[in-house]
Amino acid sequence: MINELVNYSKEALVLDEAIEVDRIIKMLRQIVLLRFHRQGAVVGIDGGVDSAVVLALSALAFGVGRVVGVMVPEREAGEENLRLAREHAEALGIRTVSEDITASLESCGCYQRRDEAIQKLFPRYKSDWKARIVLPSDLTEQGAAHVFYLVMEDPRGVEHREKLTLNEFRQITAASSFKQRIRMSMLYYHADLNNYAVVGSANKNEHELGIFVKYGDNGGDVNPIAHLFKTQVYQLAGYLGGMEEIQKRSHVLDASRSAGSQEESVFEIPFSVLDPIWMGYELGVPENQVAMAVDLETDQVIRIICNIISRKRTTDYLRASMVDVNNFE
Amino acid sequence: MVKEKIRNYIGENILFNPDGFPYADSTSFLETGIIDSMNVLELVVFIEENFQITVEDPDFTPDNFDSVEKIANYVNRKLELQSAG
């Protein structure tokens, strides 16, 4: 064991794909068919590598005839993502359904409430601009900056940056979360329609760091990849095959996220660095060994680990199920 | 006085502790995780409203906001600058 720790390297993340896939599909069958008595799977597909892997795993577990891939576009979603999602499902022989939720989001006031908050901060903002929230901090630096920024891009491609105030931050995130929550309602419509279970697609990074909307994109009955680091999801994608374009695009998106998004505080360092550090921490590998494996200073590795721990702790609420007051300890 | 107000605010509104803020003034928020990024945003609103100061973007650093002591020092410096100006 000691020798293993001394020789710690990024290779520790490498899965035996055949064994892992076999284990996951057995568990999916056991949980969905035997425990929940549901007869197949509904997977929300968005053209990303996570949902593509989950779709392929579901097809192996239940057979292509017992899986539905549900695309839930809205007016701000990229069409390229939909195309990738549809083509991948079709290549697998899986039925797809597309449900445009723009009207539902409009009736909830998703766009209007969000834009109202943005315009309080930046009156020139128009609803056809792009906007995202960023936490410009560097996980390798001492402590994280506490200030959130709203980054907007006007139709000419010019970027505008504004510090977020508390009330506006809350209104923007609360309104935007309608998207994930209405998507989840649509997945359950199709799950109930077919007596299927909803199979979720959050990977370990997203799940444990709280990068999701509670009762939104983390909603579902079972998640076959919540234990897998993003780099491992990519590995399974390669093993399962047929996702080359999706993998390539996801890599590009991951890289662009590091330039700023809601996930910036976590993903500003590449998964190829974050994941081995995180795994090393979980295995109890000394920080200096981890640092050597990822070619960083030991101090930087320690700061990243502290940030992971802090992020996990402060997002505990998001992962918590409804609590029964009678069974609360 | 400034320190006391900050301690009371965190104790009552963030920690919900009937005994107030149970840590040392120098306790690091980041290291202990007793308050998170959203709580710091809340604290900024509290500080701006209660001490009539404006927290500028470059001031958002762990040096100014990572403990009760650091926040109080920051607020006092801002107040001094205001009265001098």
Side-chain angles (χ1 to χ4, degrees):
Chain A
M1 184 67 179
I2 289 169
N3 194 39
E4 268 176 40
L5 298 185
V6 168
N7 294 322
Y8 180 73
S9 78
K10 291 182 177 183
E11 296 300 303
L13 285 161
V14 176
L15 299 164
D16 182 322
E17 300 108 334
I19 291 175
E20 186 61 19
V21 167
D22 187 56
R23 191 176 75 85
I24 290 173
I25 62 178
K26 278 184 183 149
M27 290 307 292
L28 277 175
R29 285 183 195 136
Q30 195 174 331
I31 294 164
V32 172
L33 306 177
L34 304 180
R35 161 110 191 258
F36 295 151
H37 301 287
R38 294 270 169 158
Q39 296 163 307
V42 161
V43 181
I45 50 174
D46 60 4
V49 69
D50 299 306
S51 61
V53 165
V54 168
L55 191 74
L57 290 169
S58 298
L60 289 171
F62 308 112
V64 292
R66 289 186 180 274
V67 179
V68 181
V70 181
M71 296 172 289
V72 197
E74 46 91 22
R75 73 179 190 208
E76 295 176 348
E79 284 180 14
E80 179 68 359
N81 295 348
L82 279 186
R83 178 186 68 78
L84 287 172
R86 184 182 291 110
E87 285 179 3
H88 175 240
E90 282 171 359
L92 288 171
I94 291 172
R95 182 164 64 95
T96 60
V97 179
S98 181
E99 298 275 9
D100 192 313
I101 54 168
T102 301
S104 305
L105 292 171
E106 281 169 347
S107 72
C108 290
C110 166
Y111 308 112
Q112 177 253 319
R113 292 175 208 253
R114 179 201 60 193
D115 292 348
E116 177 187 274
I118 295 176
Q119 279 161 349
K120 272 190 201 162
L121 293 167
F122 197 78
R124 283 198 291 135
Y125 170 84
K126 298 278 187 300
S127 56
D128 61 339
W129 292 25
K130 290 176 187 162
R132 64 186 193 274
I133 293 171
V134 302
L135 179 59
S137 58
D138 185 340
L139 275 182
T140 63
E141 293 300 318
Q142 176 63 51
H146 291 301
V147 61
F148 292 90
Y149 283 87
L150 184 69
V151 175
M152 296 152 285
E153 190 184 315
D154 69 25
R156 292 169 302 152
V158 178
E159 217 172 73
H160 307 268
R161 210 174 171 86
E162 197 66 39
K163 188 176 78 180
L164 268 170
T165 47
L166 183 63
N167 289 340
E168 281 65 44
F169 178 92
R170 286 177 175 162
Q171 187 169 333
I172 292 166
T173 49
S176 302
S177 298
F178 276 124
K179 291 187 180 186
Q180 288 82 0
R181 292 189 172 124
I182 289 178
R183 278 193 191 118
M184 185 48 49
S185 297
M186 199 52 87
L187 296 188
Y188 270 99
Y189 168 77
H190 286 281
D192 291 347
L193 192 65
N194 293 285
N195 194 34
Y196 288 176
V198 173
V199 181
S201 304
N203 58 54
K204 181 180 172 88
N205 305 66
E206 293 169 330
H207 180 72
E208 294 196 20
L209 300 177
I211 305 163
F212 57 81
V213 172
K214 186 167 186 171
Y215 298 122
D217 48 345
N218 79 318
D221 301 308
V222 57
N223 185 333
I225 61 165
H227 63 294
L228 297 179
F229 288 104
K230 186 80 181 194
T231 45
Q232 295 174 319
V233 174
Y234 277 117
Q235 193 196 339
L236 284 195
Y239 174 76
L240 293 163
M243 299 175 218
E244 291 72 20
E245 205 180 342
I246 288 176
Q247 284 175 263
K248 208 168 147 189
R249 186 169 162 81
S250 289
H251 272 303
V252 172
L253 289 175
D254 291 340
S256 69
R257 278 189 191 113
S258 68
S261 79
Q262 275 179 306
E263 300 166 24
E264 185 170 42
S265 58
V266 179
F267 292 144
E268 65 210 356
I269 52 175
F271 293 114
S272 58
V273 175
L274 177 67
D275 292 354
I277 292 175
W278 193 340
M279 177 168 252
Y281 159 67
E282 288 190 348
L283 292 173
V285 180
E287 288 89 355
N288 62 329
Q289 298 293 330
V290 177
M292 275 177 18
V294 294
D295 204 20
L296 283 178
E297 298 296 324
T298 303
D299 282 355
Q300 291 176 309
V301 166
I302 291 170
R303 284 177 210 134
I304 291 168
I305 291 170
C306 287
N307 278 309
I308 291 169
I309 296 168
S310 164
R311 178 89 188 205
K312 285 170 76 166
R313 186 174 46 216
T314 55
T315 55
D316 181 51
Y317 157 77
L318 296 174
R319 285 176 298 275
S321 304
M322 187 184 286
V323 178
D324 173 355
V325 294
N326 224 22
N327 291 312
F328 181 66
E329 288 177 12
Chain B
M1 183 65 176
V2 169
K3 213 181 267 181
E4 205 51 37
K5 279 189 175 176
I6 296 165
R7 289 179 64 88
N8 289 343
Y9 180 81
I10 298 174
E12 282 173 24
N13 297 285
I14 295 175
L15 303 178
F16 301 101
N17 188 332
D19 300 324
F21 185 76
Y23 306 97
D25 291 339
S26 57
T27 303
S28 162
F29 298 151
L30 282 166
E31 278 170 23
T32 57
I34 50 177
I35 77 171
D36 63 21
S37 310
M38 288 301 293
N39 298 143
V40 174
L41 278 182
E42 258 185 84
L43 266 176
V44 170
V45 175
F46 169 77
I47 288 165
E48 290 189 329
E49 285 176 356
N50 275 268
F51 302 111
Q52 276 82 52
I53 60 170
T54 304
V55 178
E56 308 292 346
D57 290 9
D59 296 345
F60 274 98
T61 62
D63 279 348
N64 289 333
F65 283 91
D66 192 38
S67 67
V68 167
E69 195 164 50
K70 286 176 176 172
I71 298 174
N73 288 342
Y74 168 74
V75 171
N76 283 325
R77 280 200 309 277
K78 292 284 282 188
L79 291 172
E80 277 170 28
L81 279 173
Q82 275 184 5
S83 59

